[in-house]
């Protein structure tokens, strides 16, 4: 059977049921951008494109040359679709408003190059995106604010040994692999279903002393040997959320970036809600998994700021439910 391309898959999904206009156009265009980003990453060291530009972005991260370049190519691609009313980017303080060609345009939230600290060591990085309806709002940027349940599509690209794209438009989660010769993505992982329970966990354990007591107790539990419940779990952590969530989707288990609870009155999460946490939550829920902040379902968290941060515990249903249970126990 001939392999199914991303554009064929998007068209088939559109024909299958109610759909939001513009989703296929934007997701298809982001697929083309991913092929360009993959090529650039492969040549970055040869073209002196690695390293920092000097300075920090709106969320205080040091900015790499490829962060800015990635932002610019995604912005140009979205503008060309005529279906994007506003672009919320990790690299821009305010949403970038765009001219559309009418008819229910969308707001796109995106981290063009996530995990960019991996770039200088040739580690995996990714692009994460989320689409929300603009509801005709002008300016459209504020339509990005609200709960994660507003998302109509979400996805990521992972630039590793192969370039992978995983997306959902609310009808399951599907994975594609880039054919570098043709620049086209083909369906390699249809209807991804995450295992109910896994054997691995991913978390930056260097932060252990800043965690909520429930988080500490849960990780201690995962490390404690018990043959009957499959413990200890193995630890896997790459420093790029896309790679860690991708492994969790395919193999099961749990990935966590808990908040810093040093001051329990003011917990400080790190990852960004609109273009990291919420899209991954939609993808994993569509694959039958679960995503929580430890206290509540991620998709119910209302964004009130574009660069808002949120904690995330994401992956297999039973693993995440058990982690939430540890958060509920008295310290
Ligand atoms: P960078 O894009 O600044 O490298 O951050 C990546 C990230 O937002 C996410 O992809 C990782 O899971 C997480 O940060 C890693 O953070 P730590 O370095 O604190 O473990």
């Amino acid at each position: 059977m001939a392999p199914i391309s991303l554009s064929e898959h998007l068209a088939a999904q559109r024909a299958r049921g109610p759909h939001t206009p513009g989703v296929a156009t934007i997701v298809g265009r982001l697929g083309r951008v991913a092929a360009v980003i993959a090529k650039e990453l492969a040549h970055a060291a040869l073209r002196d494109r690695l390293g920092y530009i000097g300075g920090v972005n709106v969320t205080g991260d040091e900015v790499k040359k490829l962060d800015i370049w990635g932002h610019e190519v995604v912005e140009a691609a979205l503008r060309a679709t005529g279906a994007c009313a506003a672009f919320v980017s990790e690299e821009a303080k305010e949403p970038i408003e765009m001219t559309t060609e009418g008819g229910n345009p969308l707001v796109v939230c995106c981290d063009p190059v996530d995990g960019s600290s991996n770039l200088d060591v040739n580690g995996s990085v990714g692009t994460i995106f989320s689409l929300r309806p603009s509801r005709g709002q002008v300016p459209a940027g504020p339509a990005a604010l609200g709960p994660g349940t507003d998302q109509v599509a979400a996805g990521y690209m992972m630039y590793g040994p192969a370039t992978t794209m995983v997306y959902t438009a609310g009808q399951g989660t599907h994975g594609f692999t880039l054919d570098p010769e043709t620049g086209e993505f083909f369906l390699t992982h249809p209807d991804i279903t995450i295992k109910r329970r896994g054997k691995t966990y991913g978390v930056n354990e260097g932060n252990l002393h800043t965690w909520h007591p429930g988080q500490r107790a849960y990780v201690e539990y995962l490390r404690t040997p018990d043959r009957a419940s499959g413990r200890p779990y193995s630890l896997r952590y790459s420093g790029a959320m896309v790679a860690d969530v991708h492994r969790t989707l395919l193999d099961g288990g749990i990935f966590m970036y808990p908040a810093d609870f040093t001051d329990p009155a003011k917990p400080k999460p790190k990852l960004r809600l609109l273009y990291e946490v919420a899209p991954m939550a939609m993808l994993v829920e569509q694959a039958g998994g679960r995503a929580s902040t430890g206290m509540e379902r991620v998709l119910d968290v209302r964004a009130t700021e574009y660069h808002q941060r949120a904690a995330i515990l994401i992956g297999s249903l039973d693993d995440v439910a058990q982690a939430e249970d540890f958060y509920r126990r008295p310290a």
Side-chain angles (χ1 to χ4, degrees):
M1 216 172 73
I4 298 169
S5 69
L6 175 63
S7 42
E8 287 166 344
H9 194 268
L10 286 163
Q13 291 259 306
R14 200 167 39 184
R16 240 176 78 175
H19 69 278
T20 309
V23 168
T25 307
I26 290 180
V27 175
R29 181 65 72 127
L30 288 173
R32 296 220 286 283
V33 171
V36 174
I37 295 178
K39 211 176 222 174
E40 182 68 17
L41 294 180
H43 292 95
L46 299 168
R47 294 179 184 157
D48 189 27
R49 304 277 284 165
L50 298 176
Y52 296 96
I53 58 161
V56 292
N57 65 16
V58 60
T59 52
D61 298 332
E62 285 190 281
V63 179
K64 301 237 163 188
K65 293 178 197 168
L66 285 167
D67 285 323
I68 297 301
W69 177 85
H71 165 86
E72 286 167 358
V73 292
V74 171
E75 180 185 341
L78 292 175
R79 219 177 265 288
T81 63
C84 176
F87 170 34
V88 175
S89 166
E90 192 200 8
E91 306 305 333
K93 188 164 186 271
E94 298 294 333
I96 298 166
E97 297 290 317
M98 294 185 179
T99 311
T100 61
E101 287 156 14
N104 303 311
L106 297 158
V107 176
V108 178
C109 304
C110 178
D111 184 349
V113 184
D114 185 59
S116 55
S117 49
N118 274 3
L119 286 170
D120 293 347
V121 295
N122 197 24
S124 293
V125 297
T127 299
I128 309 175
F129 62 89
S130 158
L131 275 52
R132 296 178 185 234
S134 75
R135 300 198 182 93
Q137 276 180 242
V138 182
L145 303 175
T149 46
D150 284 352
Q151 296 173 109
V152 292
Y156 62 78
M157 286 67 120
M158 177 180 158
Y159 312 100
T163 299
T164 304
M165 175 168 185
V166 177
Y167 90 93
T168 179
Q171 299 179 47
T173 295
H174 311 281
F176 299 77
T177 303
L178 180 70
D179 175 350
E181 312 305 327
T182 61
E184 227 179 320
F185 279 94
F186 291 99
L187 183 64
T188 46
H189 298 75
D191 280 310
I192 298 172
T193 305
I194 189 167
K195 288 180 191 147
R196 269 201 83 112
R197 184 174 280 280
K199 293 179 181 158
T200 58
Y201 71 105
V203 68
N204 184 341
E205 280 199 13
N207 296 331
L208 180 128
H209 290 285
T210 70
W211 291 345
H212 183 282
Q215 178 68 44
R216 280 208 296 270
Y218 175 59
V219 168
E220 187 49 35
Y221 168 83
L222 295 178
R223 291 154 49 126
T224 306
D226 175 57
R227 195 182 290 237
S229 56
R231 290 177 288 138
Y233 277 30
S234 291
L235 171 62
R236 297 283 183 274
Y237 190 75
S238 75
M241 183 191 202
V242 169
D244 289 316
V245 170
H246 189 64
R247 188 194 48 252
T248 307
L249 256 183
L250 298 187
D251 283 352
I254 183 166
F255 166 76
M256 299 168 278
Y257 211 110
D260 177 336
F261 254 83
T262 310
D263 177 359
K266 282 191 199 147
K268 288 198 190 103
K270 170 176 171 173
L271 301 187
R272 277 52 60 106
L273 180 57
L274 286 183
Y275 40 82
E276 291 185 305
V277 172
M280 291 306 200
M282 182 180 184
L283 284 160
V284 167
E285 281 202 4
Q286 283 288 319
R290 190 175 175 106
S292 167
T293 63
M295 326 278 184
E296 66 177 312
R297 180 186 179 216
V298 162
L299 292 183
D300 290 336
V301 178
R302 294 189 77 84
T304 54
E305 291 169 25
Y306 299 114
H307 301 286
Q308 186 169 329
R309 297 169 188 262
I312 186 163
L313 289 75
I314 187 167
S316 293
L317 202 67
D318 289 353
D319 287 310
V320 177
Q322 190 168 27
E324 289 174 304
D325 186 45
F326 272 88
Y327 271 78
R328 283 191 289 267
R329 294 179 191 181

